[in-house]
Amino acid sequence: MNQFWKEKPIKRNLFTLENICKSIYIFVASIHLQANYLGIFICVLAMIRKRQFQNEFLFNLIYLINLSFFPCTQNLMYALPIVLHFLVGINEYIKLREGELLKTCKIFVGVIDDSKNYMLYFRCQYELLLIPLNIVMIYVADESWTLFVMHILFCLTKYFASDMMKLVVKFMIKSINIKSVIRRILRISRIL
């Protein structure tokens, strides 16, 4: 008998409900409907189940609360970081449940296990890349500067609390070739 079945029934049921809701969230977010409130509910359920309020679900909660104020965020572009985290969570749930569910989802579990670290790394990259994308969307799609500022504050908070975000920022800084950027700016200024 594995760890999942040793848990109290209420904790198992909360975990099951949480993962059913995660599946619904992924579907609803992928068809561009308002899924933020469902995501908030899932994060609260997860924090109650874990009895821990300083974890990745807290960042999800902050992120989703920020998004829930803006109707322009009802699309997969903004939901992708949460979808990636929920996919990893569903995978963990399937592995803990074992039995027929694991046999049925064997390929899914294998793919997610193989790419779990990459998915979480990409999630942090994507959250950072949403910053310049928000600037573009402000001019192209009439989005809000408030969303932009709130997202920067979210990324700063996550940077100071998450080792993965620190790793991503360090890699992004190293990969930017400052000399090449300065040369391009100088070339453009000569042309003007």
Side-chain angles (χ1 to χ4, degrees):
M1 187 175 280
N2 69 8
Q3 185 65 29
F4 179 79
W5 299 107
K6 291 178 184 175
E7 296 288 344
K8 295 178 183 175
I10 186 75
K11 196 168 183 179
R12 283 196 317 258
N13 293 338
L14 274 176
F15 200 26
T16 301
L17 176 63
E18 174 189 328
N19 283 283
I20 289 170
C21 289
K22 285 178 184 176
S23 300
I24 295 169
Y25 176 89
I26 292 169
F27 173 74
V28 170
S30 67
I31 58 173
H32 304 288
L33 295 177
Q34 179 60 278
N36 294 338
Y37 299 113
L38 178 60
I40 291 169
F41 174 71
I42 293 166
C43 294
V44 170
L45 270 180
M47 290 190 296
I48 290 170
R49 176 182 54 82
K50 289 186 169 201
R51 294 186 193 155
Q52 184 182 9
F53 296 97
Q54 294 178 339
N55 58 22
E56 198 63 34
F57 286 105
L58 177 64
F59 290 118
N60 288 350
L61 186 64
I62 293 168
Y63 183 80
L64 288 166
I65 289 172
N66 286 345
L67 294 184
S68 65
F69 292 119
F70 304 97
C72 60
T73 61
Q74 297 177 16
N75 57 50
L76 194 56
M77 181 177 89
Y78 289 102
L80 185 62
I82 305 299
V83 167
L84 291 174
H85 186 248
F86 285 178
L87 279 173
V88 171
I90 291 169
N91 182 56
E92 296 299 319
Y93 172 75
I94 292 170
K95 288 189 320 189
L96 285 173
R97 281 286 305 252
E98 293 181 339
E100 288 299 315
L101 184 60
L102 183 57
K103 288 178 187 173
T104 305
C105 300
K106 185 178 179 181
I107 294 173
F108 170 80
V109 169
V111 169
I112 300 296
D113 276 345
D114 291 343
S115 58
K116 175 183 174 182
N117 289 334
Y118 174 74
M119 288 173 74
L120 296 176
Y121 184 84
F122 176 73
R123 175 187 177 196
C124 290
Q125 274 185 326
Y126 190 79
E127 288 168 345
L128 288 171
L129 292 173
L130 276 175
I131 294 172
L133 189 59
N134 276 327
I135 292 174
V136 170
M137 296 303 286
I138 286 170
Y139 293 107
V140 173
D142 215 19
E143 285 191 8
S144 169
W145 280 99
T146 309
L147 175 61
F148 170 73
V149 171
M150 289 175 79
H151 189 70
I152 287 177
L153 292 174
F154 166 77
C155 287
L156 284 172
T157 305
K158 190 166 182 178
Y159 174 79
F160 289 113
S162 168
D163 292 335
M164 181 67 80
M165 184 64 97
K166 288 177 187 170
L167 179 71
V168 169
V169 169
K170 285 179 186 175
F171 178 76
M172 288 178 92
I173 289 172
K174 283 182 181 178
S175 66
I176 296 173
N177 186 348
I178 299 297
K179 290 179 183 178
S180 136
V181 171
I182 291 172
R183 283 187 201 127
R184 287 181 193 161
I185 292 172
L186 289 174
R187 271 191 234 137
I188 291 171
S189 66
R190 286 183 204 148
I191 293 171
L192 298 176

